[in-house]
Amino acid sequence: MSLAERLQSVLVTLAALAGLGLGLLLPVGDVAGHVVLPALLVMVTAVFVQMDAGHVGEVRRAGSVVAVSLLLNFVVTPLLAWALGAGLLGDQPDLRIGLLLLLVTPCTDWYLIFTAMARGHTGIAAALLPVNLVLQLALLPVYVLLLGGQAAMVDAGTLAESVLLVLVVPLLLATGLRVLATRRRGAAWRDRTVVAPASRLVLPMLYLAVLAMFAWQARTVVAHAGDLLALLAPLAVFFVLLPLLATGAARLLRLPADQRVTLTMVTTARNSPIALAVAVAAFPDRPLIAVALVVGPLLELPVLALIAQLVRVRPAAVGR
């Protein structure tokens, strides 16, 4: 991991604090509000540019890992998100929706880094990336409408339009850019000239979006600072319970050590930047939902780093 990647949580926190200060001291709210969504759209497109669907064939070689990961990510986790929201955030609908958006979107980038750090099976991890992306594209509106209940207060058309804007359109743009670059100059040129710069663009766009959002909604954040702390309990439960469930399922199935690592990482890591983009687009009049999602990356990176050390595979155990 680069220094910027290792310091992601710190830099997100600094961006949030800087935005909060700007919003409280200067009249920049309206201008900042027009920066958030474009920055997130650029970020999401840059994430998708890096995605290589050529690994999908790997899923055939690891049917157990794929089946359990899909069960945990798209059945168990949504139900757990609903239960945690109802049980711990029952009187705070915006926080409930923020938690739901965060937990039902499996990661499509960071978990690859931590899988490699822990010596997991990176081929299977890469193969699951486009699978997870397509399924969350299709299921995210369903989860919000079915599990969000009255807390969602959004119609299906608005939610579908938001998902189309912040996920489908960037995905099509990124795919088109990859295909065009590959056909014109080859895969090596594409990776060097298109993919590499895109990877360097993701974090700055995330920091810009967080800074602009906190500047835009500075007074909302100050007014609800105590409420945001309520998210720590359900997030802590999730980040403890999911690795335990994944590890238990892997041992029950007697998976090889490297596949156990992959299963743990792919079911624990969440896609907070994409969830944030959906929140900004789908709930523009409920800023607390988007603000709540910034809590996710503040906790996720340290948690994944810790888990990577706990489940790290000894070289001799890989492939057993």
Side-chain angles (χ1 to χ4, degrees):
M1 297 179 70
S2 68
L3 179 63
E5 290 169 336
R6 292 197 298 270
L7 295 177
Q8 184 196 15
S9 293
V10 175
L11 294 175
V12 168
T13 302
L14 292 176
L17 292 175
L20 191 61
L22 283 174
L24 293 175
L25 296 175
L26 300 173
V28 298
D30 291 340
V31 175
H34 289 94
V35 172
V36 179
L37 189 56
L40 288 171
L41 289 174
V42 172
M43 179 203 70
V44 173
T45 304
V47 169
F48 291 164
V49 164
Q50 301 170 66
M51 188 179 70
D52 185 359
H55 296 289
V56 173
E58 289 273 355
V59 299
R60 301 193 197 98
R61 305 181 206 175
S64 297
V65 175
V66 174
V68 175
S69 72
L70 294 181
L71 177 65
L72 290 175
N73 270 330
F74 296 103
V75 179
V76 174
T77 294
L79 293 175
L80 177 61
W82 172 82
L84 290 173
L88 299 175
L89 302 170
D91 59 344
Q92 301 177 80
D94 286 2
L95 295 187
R96 285 177 59 190
I97 295 302
L99 180 72
L100 181 66
L101 283 172
L102 175 63
L103 296 189
V104 302
T105 48
C107 185
T108 56
D109 46 16
W110 286 112
Y111 76 91
L112 292 172
I113 294 174
F114 291 101
T115 299
M117 286 174 58
R119 298 195 180 104
H121 196 304
T122 52
I124 297 172
L128 280 167
L129 192 155
V131 176
N132 283 341
L133 176 62
V134 170
L135 285 176
Q136 67 185 257
L137 284 174
L139 294 175
L140 184 57
V142 177
Y143 290 143
V144 173
L145 293 173
L146 289 183
L147 301 179
Q150 293 182 348
M153 294 183 289
V154 64
D155 63 83
T158 299
L159 192 58
E161 289 175 4
S162 300
V163 171
L164 178 69
L165 172 65
V166 303
L167 295 181
V168 178
V169 171
L171 177 61
L172 293 177
L173 287 174
T175 303
L177 185 59
R178 283 183 64 92
V179 170
L180 182 62
T182 304
R183 288 182 176 177
R184 290 181 65 88
R185 303 294 294 272
W189 183 88
R190 177 204 65 205
D191 291 344
R192 184 176 63 254
T193 309
V194 178
V195 176
S199 69
R200 293 191 291 269
L201 193 61
V202 173
L203 289 180
M205 287 296 101
L206 175 61
Y207 302 146
L208 175 60
V210 170
L211 186 147
M213 185 176 64
F214 273 76
W216 176 32
Q217 298 297 337
R219 284 167 177 77
T220 299
V221 174
V222 171
H224 295 278
D227 296 334
L228 290 172
L229 292 177
L231 280 169
L232 297 180
L235 287 174
V237 172
F238 174 82
F239 283 124
V240 170
L241 187 57
L242 254 294
L244 291 176
L245 288 174
T247 302
R251 292 190 180 280
L252 186 65
L253 294 170
R254 298 182 180 179
L255 296 177
D258 55 345
Q259 293 187 25
R260 290 202 300 267
V261 169
T262 299
L263 181 62
T264 300
M265 290 303 175
V266 79
T267 53
T268 303
R270 298 293 96 187
N271 209 342
S272 47
I274 285 184
L276 177 60
V278 173
V280 170
F283 303 96
D285 300 325
R286 299 168 67 184
L288 191 59
I289 294 176
V291 171
L293 283 163
V294 178
V295 177
L298 300 183
L299 295 177
E300 183 179 8
L301 191 64
V303 166
L304 291 177
L306 175 61
I307 293 173
Q309 294 304 313
L310 292 175
V311 302
R312 186 178 175 85
V313 179
R314 298 190 305 274
V318 176
R320 283 185 184 174

